[in-house]
Amino acid sequence: MRFKFDYSKFFQRLMEDICHVFQHDKLKVIIHSTGNAMKSRIKLFALFIIFLLLLSGCFYSSSVPPLAVKQFPEKLIYIKNINVFTGDPTLEILENVNILIANSRIMKIGMFSPPETDCRIIDGKGKTVIPGLIDHHVHTSAPGSPPWFPVLPNRNLIDRNLSAFLYAGVTTVFDMGGPVDKLQVLKDRIDEEEAINPRVFYAGKVLTKEGGHPDRMIRELVPWPVDSMLINQVAFTIGDHEDIVAAIAENKAHGSSLTKIMVDQIPLGIPSLYEGLITDIVKESDQAGLIVGSHIGSESDLLTGLISGVRFFCHAPYRSSVSDSTIAAMQEKQAVIIPTLVVFEYSANFFKNTLQFTDLDRQILDPEILKAYTDVPKDELKSDDPQLESWIHDLVIYRDIKYENVRKMKAAGIPIIAGSDSPNVATVAGSSLHTEMRLLVEKCGFMPVEAVAAATSVSGDMLERTTGEKGLGRLTEGGPADLVILNNDFRDDISQTENIFMVISNGKIVDRRTQK
């Protein structure tokens, strides 16, 4: 359904967003050099343009309900006769044991009778429980729609995304780039409501060069003036030390747990952060108690980060190979990486018009967005931009090399964390993490227990470093009660992680709702 919403509230929020536009450096000069009357005219003109775009049907407003809702427990939860994967791939699975959950914590794991007090008993015979999954690279407010089907990032869409993660057994997410003030408000709201949300941590606004990523792609895909508004909300443009200090301070003040920087070039040939600026960012972030995570695309980007002091990387190189010497440098500097294989695999399929969604993808996707992917308008997958065409070419040509890069990193003992970069073009909130685990197994030589560990304990260890939150990604006595009960054993078939019997998030059973 398109544009059935409260217009008064819409205009109120829209005016707030338009005001963000005037924080853009170029617009600041214009605004501060004019009087109040001119400011009002500029704001009204921008409002008028956006309103015309909306009325012309350029944007879809999602109205689909949440896919999952937590049920507040009135009793203790006692799971009996279940097989337990604790999250540690070096340990044997515990067979036919019991789990007691109370007050959002795992109280006991082992062989024991149910408590004498009244409790909810769940029969786990023949089933396997794993820790709640962690998607270490998401964008909670992204629509995940094709470029020709823009979607308003309203509250309904965000709640749908959050519930989709829960539906797929993802009980913790890390938002790797978004409007930091709104992320803080969102986290406060969902923590208070404790209804449709996984645990949420976030980086806030990313640091990039003017005209770099994601600035260029947003301007390519989003109409003016919405593009300027969006860029200002998700990215800081960095030119000197003062910009760095201000950006990190703003993110930190709004609860960010990481400084995210952009070194990749999407499309090829655009500006990106260089060593001097990155070194300064690492230093200032360290003083603020923040680790730096670098978005990269090539071996050159990876080396730039390593030389500049970065030790945490988002995306394995997906458009170049990685040499043995670079792998050795990663070992020496104890680098950690989130490959996000699925976003580049799905993107390559998208641009080649060979995209195939999984059954879980289809269960989660808004039907209108799914239809937009299915009904591709003529010539929409073609680009007149030679830089973008070159990037797409590399994305497709190097699609197998990215797997080889991850295989080499795994063999070298470099910690590899699962993340999906979803929702994004072609990737889906929640379900894409399962595809990521499958690609780790099928393409990168992981055992299924290693792939699940990448989405649980290995990811949780990194979260403890960045956020201080302990115990996520593991099933231990006294730890968080985030669990996913699978109908079957996943050790010989990684796709069984999608065969979910029940999700328990923060000690609450999740009501997983079938999409109508």
Side-chain angles (χ1 to χ4, degrees):
M1 184 182 299
R2 294 177 184 265
F3 313 120
K4 289 190 176 181
F5 49 83
D6 188 325
Y7 281 93
S8 62
K9 290 184 178 179
F10 167 73
F11 277 114
Q12 181 181 355
R13 290 186 179 183
L14 190 57
M15 284 303 297
E16 292 173 359
D17 287 341
I18 289 172
C19 289
H20 280 286
V21 176
F22 303 118
Q23 295 173 20
H24 192 284
D25 288 341
K26 291 182 178 178
L27 291 173
K28 274 184 188 177
V29 175
I30 298 173
I31 296 303
H32 288 307
S33 63
T34 59
N36 289 332
M38 181 58 72
K39 292 180 188 179
S40 298
R41 290 192 187 108
I42 294 172
K43 291 181 181 180
L44 287 172
F45 176 71
L47 176 62
F48 177 70
I49 293 295
I50 296 173
F51 182 57
L52 286 181
L53 288 170
L54 293 171
L55 288 184
S56 66
C58 290
F59 289 84
Y60 167 69
S61 180
S62 176
S63 60
V64 291
L67 281 165
V69 179
K70 297 176 186 177
Q71 305 299 306
F72 279 82
E74 298 178 357
K75 308 174 182 179
L76 302 179
I77 299 174
Y78 177 76
I79 307 171
K80 65 178 185 177
N81 302 325
I82 197 160
N83 299 327
V84 178
F85 173 65
T86 64
D88 188 339
T90 67
L91 299 179
E92 293 291 328
I93 282 188
L94 306 175
E95 296 186 352
N96 297 314
V97 299
N98 308 320
I99 302 174
L100 181 65
I101 296 172
N103 300 320
S104 302
R105 313 300 288 185
I106 297 172
M107 306 306 294
K108 196 172 184 180
I109 301 176
M111 302 299 296
F112 57 91
S113 301
E116 295 182 0
T117 56
D118 192 19
C119 62
R120 167 79 180 269
I121 297 178
I122 299 168
D123 189 357
K125 186 175 181 180
K127 298 177 172 59
T128 299
V129 64
I130 63 176
L133 299 171
I134 302 170
D135 194 330
H136 219 110
H137 191 142
V138 309
H139 298 284
T140 53
S141 59
S145 61
W148 56 82
F149 192 76
V151 179
L152 282 173
N154 57 18
R155 172 170 171 167
N156 197 79
L157 171 78
I158 294 169
D159 285 358
R160 172 74 173 201
N161 286 344
L162 293 171
S163 72
F165 288 114
L166 273 189
Y167 181 88
V170 179
T171 56
T172 301
V173 298
F174 198 106
D175 190 302
M176 277 290 178
V180 67
D181 53 343
K182 290 180 172 55
L183 282 167
Q184 183 181 34
V185 171
L186 171 67
K187 182 170 172 58
D188 290 344
R189 172 175 70 84
I190 61 178
D191 285 350
E192 180 179 356
E193 294 174 354
E194 185 61 12
I196 48 82
N197 60 292
R199 301 171 192 271
V200 175
F201 303 99
Y202 52 91
K205 295 168 69 171
V206 303
L207 280 63
T208 189
K209 286 288 290 180
E210 184 174 2
H213 183 61
D215 184 304
R216 173 66 179 274
M217 286 301 291
I218 290 175
R219 295 189 190 281
E220 287 285 337
L221 299 174
V222 180
W224 182 91
V226 182
D227 58 350
S228 293
M229 180 174 67
L230 180 57
I231 290 164
N232 184 70
Q233 288 202 2
V234 302
F236 291 109
T237 298
I238 301 300
D240 55 30
H241 177 75
E242 286 71 24
D243 292 337
I244 292 169
V245 172
I248 293 171
E250 182 174 334
N251 272 343
K252 179 73 173 180
H254 286 290
S256 295
S257 301
L258 180 84
T259 298
K260 172 82 175 292
I261 64 172
M262 313 303 279
V263 185
D264 194 7
Q265 298 180 8
I266 305 177
L268 300 180
I270 64 173
S272 62
L273 295 172
Y274 52 83
E275 289 179 19
L277 286 176
I278 298 171
T279 301
D280 199 3
I281 291 169
V282 171
K283 178 181 177 183
E284 290 298 325
S285 295
D286 184 62
Q287 292 180 359
L290 298 173
I291 290 174
V292 175
S294 178
H295 173 125
I296 60 170
S298 67
E299 180 179 34
S300 176
D301 299 337
L302 175 55
L303 286 171
T304 296
L306 286 172
I307 292 168
S308 306
V310 178
R311 300 294 179 262
F312 186 34
F313 296 92
C314 307
H315 312 307
Y318 62 90
R319 52 182 176 83
S320 78
S321 59
V322 177
S323 66
D324 292 342
S325 60
T326 297
I327 295 291
M330 294 180 72
Q331 282 181 302
E332 178 189 352
K333 298 181 184 300
Q334 300 181 322
V336 179
I337 197 159
I338 312 173
T340 64
L341 300 168
V342 61
V343 72
F344 300 112
E345 184 65 19
Y346 271 30
S347 293
N349 291 338
F350 171 75
F351 287 113
K352 296 289 288 183
N353 201 18
T354 58
L355 179 64
Q356 297 286 328
F357 288 116
T358 67
D359 287 343
L360 189 56
D361 290 335
R362 291 175 177 274
Q363 290 174 36
I364 288 173
L365 274 171
D366 180 324
E368 292 298 321
I369 294 177
L370 177 60
K371 185 175 184 294
Y373 277 112
T374 304
D375 302 334
V376 181
K378 183 179 180 181
D379 296 330
E380 280 291 344
L381 292 174
K382 296 180 180 180
S383 174
D384 296 327
D385 184 344
Q387 289 177 301
L388 182 57
E389 276 293 303
S390 180
W391 180 79
I392 294 170
H393 173 269
D394 284 3
L395 185 69
V396 174
I397 292 298
Y398 288 106
R399 64 189 308 168
D400 291 330
I401 288 180
K402 66 179 179 287
Y403 299 126
E404 176 61 23
N405 291 338
V406 174
R407 285 194 292 268
K408 291 170 71 173
M409 292 176 190
K410 179 182 184 296
I414 293 162
I416 294 171
I417 293 173
S420 67
D421 199 356
S422 69
N424 209 322
V425 173
T427 56
V428 183
S431 55
S432 285
L433 185 66
H434 293 269
T435 303
E436 181 75 9
M437 290 189 288
R438 178 171 56 80
L439 291 173
L440 289 173
V441 171
E442 294 178 355
K443 302 288 189 178
C444 303
F446 280 59
M447 298 294 291
V449 291
E450 293 174 320
V452 174
T456 54
S457 59
V458 182
S459 189
D461 290 347
M462 190 66 198
L463 279 177
E464 184 173 347
R465 288 176 57 189
T466 55
T467 71
E469 192 80 17
K470 296 181 179 181
L472 296 177
R474 297 180 186 272
L475 298 182
T476 58
E477 292 184 352
D482 292 346
L483 309 86
V484 183
I485 301 176
L486 307 176
N487 283 304
N488 296 310
D489 193 335
F490 70 93
R491 285 176 289 179
D492 293 324
D493 180 5
I494 190 63
S495 69
Q496 291 301 320
T497 62
E498 300 179 38
N499 189 0
I500 297 172
F501 172 74
M502 180 180 288
V503 177
I504 299 176
S505 174
N506 199 27
K508 301 171 182 64
I509 294 173
V510 175
D511 177 15
R512 300 171 73 240
R513 300 174 175 180
T514 303
Q515 183 166 253
K516 296 179 181 180

